[in-house]
Amino acid sequence: MTEVAEAEALILARMPSWPSIRTATGASRGRVLREVIVAERDQPPFDRVTMDGIAISCADWSGGLRRFESIGTQAAGAPASTLTGPGQCVEIMTGAVCPAGADTIIPVERLRREPGSTIIVDETPIDRGQCIHPRGSDRRQGDRLLEAGIRIGATEIAVIASAGYADVAVAALPRVAMISTGDELVGPREPLAPYQIRSTNDFSIEASLALAGLAEVTCARLRDDETALTRAVAALHDDHDALIVSGGVSMGQFDFVPAVLERLGAELVFHRVEQRPGRPLLFAISRDAKPIFALPGNPVSALVCLTRYVIPALRHAAGLQADPMERAVLTDSVTRSGRLTYFLPVKLGWDEQGTETAEPRATNTSGDFVSLAGTDGFVELPKGRKHDPKGTVARVFRW
């Protein structure tokens, strides 16, 4: 049986890399950047005024001048004016280019205007260059602004647009088929027999992938019929980039998924992991090198395996940089068998010292998905320990 860390490594080593596509910058939100963004020009591209007021030469102030001849007004987006002699000023607006010959901005609050001139009425000392954002002080033309492998959010789109990119290279979204198996599964609007249950894994898994922005998902619900399952899985495989199967993966009489995958020529990389919940987890690679994740049917197990293995694998295939490992401190002690790595649902918080905390919220069984509502994820507690005392530091995986 495979250990948790080994399973993770085997999956990442076999995941393909999704191709890059170009998309309009405005439509790139939430996608994974696949190119380096470089500065189109200096930032700021000119000596930029940061306050409304007047632009003067600091030498005039140092020489005792307080009344200045106003020779014009310059707004943001207008060409630079020029001071042509001593004692002159330009009425200036925030965001404008600093006029030639000027090197200091006096804020409007320190001024009194008279016809044809402006008087500095506040004798607070001034500094040469005040209220001016110097050209190139943020970035120089050609500087690397964003690296590939990051998620594009609002600030990243602003950077991309500022560099003049009308479109940008991003990771293509894979087409993922989400297959729920089981004769007992019934959709929300379908009649429900006493021996059947509502299907939940297809909904939760599709929601998880959509919220993560990692895939375009097609859902299918299949009965426990080996022949029909083989045909359907083969067809879905051909039309998608990856498969996620829920149910039918354990060792029961109607757990057909491992046999179906072998019949279709897939390579079983591993089957069964030393963990609880989710021990029957299977990972395979198809003959066309497409990844196949077969998750247990129990809802808690399925969501834990999706979060622990599938989402990191899809992030890896998209070229998304790994997030720093998150850890939290248990607020209560935990007792367990210790034979398997244990994934424990938790509610996250913070103590008075600012340390992240994890409040255990164990489920009754791996089918008790209702208990997951209100939790933030789970912590991973290593095998070999039967007792994890309050204060234990554990790795966190968020839903």
Side-chain angles (χ1 to χ4, degrees):
M1 201 176 303
T2 308
E3 298 290 346
V4 168
E6 181 186 5
E8 178 182 39
L10 287 169
I11 291 171
L12 296 182
R14 301 299 296 272
M15 285 298 293
S17 176
W18 309 135
S20 296
I21 61 171
R22 298 200 73 82
T23 188
T25 294
S28 68
R29 58 190 178 276
R31 305 295 288 272
V32 178
L33 181 64
R34 277 288 186 85
E35 67 177 308
V36 175
I37 303 299
V38 299
E40 180 183 32
R41 52 184 183 159
D42 292 346
Q43 291 294 335
F46 45 78
D47 289 338
R48 178 180 175 274
V49 174
T50 62
M51 294 282 286
D52 293 341
I54 59 171
I56 67 169
S57 169
C58 189
D60 288 344
W61 163 276
S62 299
L65 286 178
R66 297 296 182 267
R67 181 185 292 271
F68 291 82
E69 176 191 1
S70 297
I71 63 170
T73 299
Q74 185 181 319
S81 303
T82 301
L83 301 183
T84 58
Q88 295 180 339
C89 73
V90 172
E91 301 280 347
I92 202 75
M93 308 302 162
T94 300
V97 181
C98 185
D103 57 15
T104 302
I105 308 299
I106 309 300
V108 67
E109 294 83 3
R110 299 177 60 178
L111 307 174
R112 184 178 77 242
R113 290 185 174 85
E114 294 183 355
S117 64
T118 301
I119 302 170
I120 301 174
V121 296
D122 185 341
E123 287 293 328
T124 302
I126 69 172
D127 296 314
R128 183 176 181 274
Q130 72 178 24
C131 302
I132 297 173
H133 189 184
R135 173 176 177 168
S137 57
D138 292 342
R139 297 291 186 276
R140 289 293 185 184
Q141 181 180 23
D143 280 356
R144 298 166 75 99
L145 305 181
L146 297 175
E147 298 293 333
I150 63 170
R151 181 84 69 176
I152 299 174
T155 54
E156 288 76 19
I157 282 184
V159 172
I160 294 167
S162 76
Y165 289 72
D167 55 64
V168 65
V170 298
L173 285 179
R175 296 163 299 161
V176 174
M178 168 57 218
I179 306 165
S180 291
T181 69
D183 293 347
E184 74 279 16
L185 301 179
V186 176
R189 296 185 181 275
E190 300 174 36
L192 186 66
Y195 48 83
Q196 293 178 313
I197 60 173
R198 296 293 185 194
S199 180
T200 60
N201 288 351
D202 44 358
F203 289 97
S204 64
I205 290 174
E206 181 181 19
S208 293
L209 296 179
L211 289 169
L214 292 172
E216 296 176 346
V217 183
T218 301
C219 289
R221 196 175 301 135
L222 305 177
R223 297 180 61 85
D224 289 323
D225 179 295
E226 188 171 1
T227 301
L229 193 61
T230 302
R231 287 198 299 267
V233 170
L236 288 166
H237 165 271
D238 291 345
D239 291 337
H240 293 81
D241 302 302
L243 300 181
I244 301 174
V245 184
S246 169
V249 73
S250 192
M251 301 179 68
Q253 187 175 349
F254 292 95
D255 289 320
F256 297 126
V257 170
V260 165
L261 295 180
E262 289 193 32
R263 181 177 301 169
L264 294 175
E267 174 195 353
L268 268 61
V269 179
F270 64 79
H271 186 194
R272 297 171 66 82
V273 180
E274 291 283 317
Q275 64 186 30
R276 177 188 175 201
R279 199 175 191 186
L281 175 68
L282 181 152
F283 176 65
I285 296 293
S286 78
R287 287 182 297 183
D288 294 336
K290 297 179 181 181
I292 303 171
F293 302 88
L295 317 182
N298 283 324
V300 176
S301 301
L303 195 55
V304 164
C305 289
L306 179 86
T307 303
R308 181 63 181 84
Y309 300 104
V310 182
I311 287 180
L314 295 177
R315 287 171 56 93
H316 181 77
L320 191 58
Q321 296 174 9
D323 289 332
M325 189 178 296
E326 184 178 2
R327 294 180 174 86
V329 175
L330 292 180
T331 61
D332 293 297
S333 62
V334 177
T335 300
R336 55 196 175 94
S337 72
R339 294 186 301 108
L340 304 171
T341 297
Y342 184 36
F343 299 131
L344 173 67
V346 294
K347 177 69 176 176
L348 298 173
W350 303 89
D351 64 17
E352 294 180 353
Q353 288 72 46
T355 300
E356 188 170 14
T357 59
E359 177 189 346
R361 295 280 187 89
T363 61
N364 289 327
T365 67
S366 57
D368 180 23
F369 59 90
V370 176
S371 293
L372 298 183
T375 63
D376 297 296
F378 57 87
V379 292
E380 181 176 312
L381 302 177
K383 64 184 293 187
R385 293 199 307 248
K386 293 186 177 182
H387 183 74
D388 299 281
K390 177 181 177 179
T392 297
V393 178
R395 185 178 180 186
V396 174
F397 293 87
R398 293 178 180 261
W399 298 129

